[in-house]
């Protein structure tokens, strides 16, 4: 593996963020890391096709096959350990992981959230719902946050954030697409590369990025 960090990407749906990571790796922009496995919480997720096309092995662990978050998280933890993951990336992973995973992988799990944390985040805020709520509130800027995952939903140390303007006639779908294109697909690969180069430090619950 030439000393590269093993990146395991967790997905649940379309996988455009996974695609952004795959494309960045192909362009040589993930310094010191390699995507070695994709784990999906849903059978038939389009993200699995993206992984197959890129020649990346995948594992399906359907959330619906487990009675609760605790048993599901244990299955995820076992798989991450089996894969020897150095970094876990939640790229549109729609299941909250229990502390058995977050504690075992402290500051080694990166999530992309489609809003400017601490706004429009926490339990129940995922996918299009986040953009519906932002539009309902009438905010004039929104964006995305790349952060480490801890025991509280969307509350771990923030690594990178980026913004976009909200336009008067935006629909949730239009706003989602603008945030993905302008922020998520750029900042997620950037944060992953920074991690793999050991350029992120966490002190007192805050992440410090060495941007050089
Ligand atoms: C992305 O917008 C991601 O930020 C969001 O779901 C979408 C997944 O798209 N994630 C969350 O809401 C997690 N709380 P993708 O499957 O095409 O990457």
């Amino acid at each position: 593996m030439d000393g590269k960090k093993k990146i395991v990407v967790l997905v649940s749906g379309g996988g455009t963020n996974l695609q952004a990571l795959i494309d960045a790796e192909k362009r040589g922009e993930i310094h010191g890391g390699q995507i070695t496995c994709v784990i999906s919480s849903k059978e038939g997720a389009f993200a699995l096709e993206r992984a197959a096309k890129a020649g990346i092995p995948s594992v399906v662990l359907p959330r619906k096959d487990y009675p609760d978050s605790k048993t599901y998280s244990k299955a995820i933890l076992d798989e991450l350990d089996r894969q020897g993951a150095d970094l876990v990336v939640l790229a549109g992973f729609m299941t909250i992981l229990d502390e058995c995973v977050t504690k075992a992988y402290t500051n080694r799990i990166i999530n992309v959230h489609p809003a400017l944390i601490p706004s429009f985040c926490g339990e129940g805020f995922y996918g299009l719902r986040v953009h519906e709520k932002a539009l309902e509130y009438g905010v004039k800027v929104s964006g995305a946050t790349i952060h480490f995952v801890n025991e509280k939903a969307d509350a771990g140390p923030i690594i990178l954030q980026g913004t976009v303007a909200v336009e008067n006639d935006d629909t949730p779908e239009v706003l989602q697409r603008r945030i993905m294109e302008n922020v998520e697909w750029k900042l997620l690969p950037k944060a992953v590369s920074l991690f793999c180069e050991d350029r992120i430090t966490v002190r007192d619950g805050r992440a410090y990025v060495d941007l050089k």
Side-chain angles (χ1 to χ4, degrees):
M1 251 334 264
D2 21 307
K4 285 190 176 176
K5 288 193 169 67
K6 292 184 180 181
I7 305 165
V8 175
V9 185
L10 273 55
V11 297
S12 300
T16 63
N17 278 290
L18 168 65
Q19 192 66 55
L21 289 167
I22 291 170
D23 294 345
E25 187 183 326
K26 271 202 200 121
R27 290 193 302 266
E29 290 171 10
I30 306 289
H31 304 287
Q34 183 175 352
I35 306 168
T36 52
C37 179
V38 169
I39 302 176
S40 174
S41 65
K42 280 206 186 111
E43 282 157 2
F46 188 67
L48 290 165
E49 289 186 36
R50 297 181 190 272
K53 202 163 167 215
I56 301 167
S58 60
V59 175
V60 182
L61 287 176
R63 173 65 183 86
K64 64 173 175 49
D65 290 357
Y66 296 81
D68 50 37
S69 165
K70 207 179 161 81
T71 49
Y72 185 65
S73 297
K74 180 69 175 72
I76 291 280
L77 178 64
D78 290 347
E79 190 58 42
L80 293 175
D81 289 347
R82 216 179 349 260
Q83 295 293 337
D86 295 304
L87 171 66
V88 181
V89 179
L90 310 186
F93 187 66
M94 298 306 186
T95 295
I96 291 180
L97 291 169
D98 178 276
E99 64 177 31
C100 78
V101 181
T102 55
K103 288 223 162 94
Y105 285 83
T106 302
N107 297 332
R108 289 196 292 150
I109 308 175
I110 289 178
N111 181 45
V112 51
H113 182 74
L116 295 170
I117 291 174
S119 292
F120 309 110
C121 64
E123 251 167 89
F125 285 91
Y126 56 85
L128 265 186
R129 225 185 124 69
V130 176
H131 307 295
E132 276 163 23
K133 290 287 169 195
L135 290 177
E136 244 173 70
Y137 200 96
V139 293
K140 301 301 178 230
V141 287
S142 192
T145 304
I146 317 298
H147 67 96
F148 284 119
V149 173
N150 66 10
E151 286 68 62
K152 266 184 84 191
D154 299 327
I158 292 173
I159 303 166
L160 298 171
Q161 288 185 303
T163 61
V164 302
V166 178
E167 309 291 347
N168 285 336
D169 54 357
D170 274 350
T171 61
E173 289 80 3
V174 167
L175 180 58
Q176 178 183 55
R177 180 79 192 182
R178 187 179 307 124
I179 291 172
M180 283 177 153
E181 274 180 6
N182 292 284
V183 188
E184 297 184 40
W185 300 342
K186 292 179 181 161
L187 293 194
L188 182 61
K190 185 172 177 181
V192 166
S193 187
L194 286 165
F195 177 93
C196 292
E197 293 179 281
D198 296 317
R199 285 165 61 190
I200 310 174
T201 315
V202 179
R203 250 180 293 129
D204 299 329
R206 286 171 64 180
Y208 295 86
V209 179
D210 167 20
L211 287 168
K212 284 192 180 144

